[in-house]
Amino acid sequence: MNTELLQQVVQGFGIQAERAVFDPVKHGYINDTFILKLDGKAAYVIQRINHHVFQDPKKLQENIDKALKKLNGKDYLKIDFLKSINGSTLFQIKNTFWRVMRYIPDSTVYNNANDEIIAFEAGLLIGNFHKLMAGENVNDYHVTITDFHSLKFRITQFQQALDYADHLTLMDAQEEVNFAFSTIPKFKDLDLSLLPHRVCHNDAKLNNMLFDSQKKGLCMIDLDTIMPGYFHYDLGDAVRTVVNPASEDETDLSQIEFRMDLYDSFMNGLKDSGLSLLNEEIKVMPLGISYMPFLHGLRALTDFLNGNIYYKVNYAEHNLDRAKNLFQFTKLAVEYNSILTDKTQLFD
Ligand code: GN1
Ligand code: MG
């Protein structure tokens, strides 16, 4: 990324650019993120919004601004976005879209929990987030990516990608393609018709949660996909990342685990938040926990078949490796389905 552009952006937010040093943040498959340091100290987080993925950055930022009015409380830290010189939290320059968040000192993100305290706090954070959003009217929020977590839509994209892919690519992905076809029917009973829409985070994985240096959960970050959804979307993303000690990029599949101790801690945190869920939402929890990793695996596989046009990749088979990884976790979650079902009684 060219520094001159970054400097113009920060000036657009009224920050003196001469002293600024920009550190790219490497994780994230969509946007470009930088920590802006002043005198060696992290001061702001700057993000360029990928407007190929988020086609209407203005609506996205409107959702965030609206949600942030609610997302603060005793147990939930408020995030602060700067207003640009144009008075909006979104700043456009040469068809690029930017926003700047104040850096929260002594805060940290974890890529893997591996720790019961973090797992508990993650559950608490998801619960607190949803408690704070519970009074919101979902119709006041824009749908910024249509059908984002719709399996039906993701299957259609997958089938189109299969038609498009060449023979060699298909051979490479044969096992994962077969897994996808054999697993899709498992979700036919996921009945959405009785579930309430909630304003969801929609990317509620562990590394989108901020913690303080004492491992206390502070708030959710990366709010781009805040929009209507179902509770199990956020639950599924949180669980797949909290209970698994391996990252989504891990290629050694033997490292992938579904740790029940971490799951229990997470669920205890969720319960302690006092979030009230409908019986129907509780009922779909176990299936939701395999649904999300499957959906993400299918998306990664689709992108591999398409020649890596959506996610950022570090090497040609990166998306395929991510699909293998996410499908491996899906297998474990499916295997544990009945155990998880027994455990949902905790919520009754
Ligand atoms: C993308 O870039 P990041 O990590 O915030 C994706 C999520 C996936 C995630 C990893 C808009 O998010 O749905 O969970 O990669 N976001 C979008 O699989 O597609
Ligand atoms: Mg995201």
Side-chain angles (χ1 to χ4, degrees), residues 28-31 53-54 145 148-149 202-203 205 208 222 225 237 240 248 296 299 310-311 322 326:
Y29 299 100
I30 308 287
N31 293 325
V53 169
F54 299 106
I145 305 182
F148 189 45
H149 291 324
N202 285 308
D203 192 11
K205 52 185 181 172
N208 279 336
D222 183 9
T225 45
D237 268 333
R240 76 179 176 88
E248 213 171 291
H296 286 300
R299 290 176 62 197
Y310 184 87
Y311 293 112
R322 290 185 47 233
L326 288 153

Side-chain angles (χ1 to χ4, degrees), residues 312-338:
K312 288 186 207 164
V313 288
N314 298 335
Y315 54 96
E317 308 246 311
H318 196 165
N319 265 314
L320 182 61
D321 284 343
R322 290 185 47 233
K324 288 181 185 170
N325 173 312
L326 288 153
F327 283 169
Q328 177 63 25
F329 185 79
T330 307
K331 278 180 209 160
L332 298 176
V334 169
E335 249 171 64
Y336 288 154
N337 191 278
S338 58

Side-chain angles (χ1 to χ4, degrees), residues 181-201:
F181 278 119
S182 64
T183 308
I184 286 168
K186 296 209 176 355
F187 300 106
K188 68 176 187 331
D189 294 334
L190 190 62
D191 184 7
L192 303 178
S193 66
L194 295 172
L195 299 177
H197 267 117
R198 288 178 184 267
V199 179
C200 290
H201 181 285

Side-chain angles (χ1 to χ4, degrees), residues 281-294:
E281 293 179 289
I282 295 170
K283 240 203 208 130
V284 301
M285 276 179 168
L287 205 51
I289 287 168
S290 23
Y291 180 86
M292 289 311 284
F294 180 65

Side-chain angles (χ1 to χ4, degrees), residues 8 131 224 262 323:
Q8 283 175 324
K131 260 172 73 183
D224 292 330
L262 296 177

